[in-house]
Amino acid sequence: NAGVTQTPKFQVLKTGQSMTLQCAQDMNHNSMYWYRQDPGMGLRLIYYSASEGTTDKGEVPNGYNVSRLNKREFSLRLESAAPSQTSVYFCASSEREGSNTEAFFGQGTRLTVV
Amino acid sequence: AQTVTQSQPEMSVQEAETVTLSCTYDTSESDYYLFWYKQPPSRQMILVIRQEAYKQQNATENRFSVNFQKAAKSFSLKISDSQLGDAAMYFCACKIYGNKLVFGAGTILRVKS
C-alpha cells in the first residue's frame, strides 16, 4: 500500500501565482489534514476534514482553501502565493472519530515562494 | 481552543542515559487522545507512543514511556537507554473527538556518543 501520497514533492512559485497541492490516501480513512511545518513553529494545522463532505479551519487557514474531493483525496490550494507561505506542507489521514489510531503522513512538499 | 505546548526547543542526552521531554496541552474536551511522534531528518513522521485520556495507566512501548498527569494536562515522554537512532525532532500531539489533531512546536533531541 502507498499510504498517503502527496504531489509534488518540491515546488517553487513566484509571488502571486496559484497552485494546488494534491493528497490521496488508500487506507479508507475518514479524516484528512493539511499541516505546514516551519522552524520553531512545529506542525500547524491549516485545514482538516473529519469526514467526507466536511472541512474545517485549523490554526492557520488564511491564504489557503481546501477541497475534499472524495474519501480518498484532499487538496490544498494557494490562490495567490506569498513568501510567508514558504514552508514544508504535510498531508495526513486518520481513521474514524473517537479512535486512538494515529495519523499517517505523506512525505511532505517543500514549497518556496520567491 | 485546543493547544499543545512543548517548552524545550532542544534537549541533549548521553547515549544509554535517560531523557524526559515535556508536553502540556489544553482542551475543553473530556475525551481525547495524546501522541508522541518522532521525525528524523528524512521528514518521515513516526508514531512513538499513544495514550487515551480515559486510561489512568501510563502507556509504555519498549524504551519509551509516558507520564500522563490528566489534572495537570501534562504528557511527558521518557526515553530510557537512549540510542544514537533516537536523535530526531519529537512532537507531542492531541486529538479530540471530532478528530481535530493539533501538534506542539517540537523538541530536537540530540544524542551524544
Side-chain angles (χ1 to χ4, degrees):
Chain A
N1 282 345
V4 179
T5 303
Q6 286 181 239
T7 55
K9 288 187 171 49
F10 301 93
Q11 184 71 48
V12 178
L13 287 179
K14 293 183 179 179
T15 297
Q17 285 186 318
S18 62
M19 80 160 295
T20 299
L21 305 184
Q22 306 285 355
C23 176
Q25 52 93 6
D26 61 4
M27 296 173 283
N28 202 35
H29 285 170
N30 285 319
S31 298
M32 298 186 74
Y33 310 84
W34 276 106
Y35 295 90
R36 58 178 290 172
Q37 182 175 9
D38 304 290
M41 306 292 286
L43 284 162
R44 291 183 291 171
L45 182 64
I46 305 172
Y47 272 94
Y48 70 107
S49 172
S51 60
E52 186 180 357
T54 69
T55 60
D56 287 284
K57 294 179 180 180
E59 303 162 279
V60 289
N62 292 344
Y64 306 94
N65 285 302
V66 290
S67 295
R68 184 75 183 266
L69 304 170
N70 47 56
K71 192 171 186 179
R72 290 187 62 249
E73 299 171 286
F74 188 41
S75 63
L76 177 72
R77 183 160 179 85
L78 288 70
E79 291 290 352
S80 179
S84 61
Q85 294 177 306
T86 293
S87 188
V88 178
Y89 291 85
F90 286 94
C91 177
S93 70
S94 72
E95 253 195 58
R96 67 191 186 284
E97 289 182 87
S99 75
N100 69 345
T101 53
E102 73 269 30
F104 292 83
F105 285 77
Q107 292 180 308
T109 297
R110 183 174 291 278
L111 176 66
T112 302
V113 183
V114 298
Chain B
Q2 183 183 353
T3 60
V4 176
T5 303
Q6 293 179 249
S7 59
Q8 305 155 316
E10 192 169 325
M11 294 283 285
S12 291
V13 63
Q14 200 70 32
E15 203 175 1
E17 297 292 307
T18 296
V19 64
T20 298
L21 308 184
S22 301
C23 173
T24 58
Y25 61 92
D26 191 19
T27 176
S28 57
E29 301 289 326
S30 56
D31 290 329
Y32 53 89
Y33 306 92
L34 299 166
F35 304 88
W36 278 98
Y37 281 84
K38 170 185 177 182
Q39 186 185 46
S42 66
R43 290 201 319 229
Q44 182 183 6
M45 293 288 286
I46 302 165
L47 177 71
V48 174
I49 198 164
R50 77 190 88 198
Q51 174 83 41
E52 293 89 343
Y54 60 85
K55 288 188 178 179
Q56 292 187 338
Q57 187 173 5
N58 290 325
T60 300
E61 289 285 345
N62 301 313
R63 298 183 294 108
F64 299 88
S65 61
V66 299
N67 183 3
F68 174 47
Q69 302 288 330
K70 191 171 183 178
K73 294 187 176 178
S74 171
F75 183 60
S76 61
L77 175 69
K78 185 171 83 171
I79 306 174
S80 305
D81 186 25
S82 296
Q83 300 175 358
L84 294 176
D86 295 334
M89 175 79 86
Y90 286 81
F91 291 102
C92 178
C94 177
K95 184 170 79 167
I96 62 174
Y97 185 78
N99 261 17
K100 185 178 181 181
L101 177 62
V102 174
F103 285 79
T107 297
I108 298 171
L109 178 65
R110 304 193 192 279
V111 181
K112 302 175 183 176
S113 59

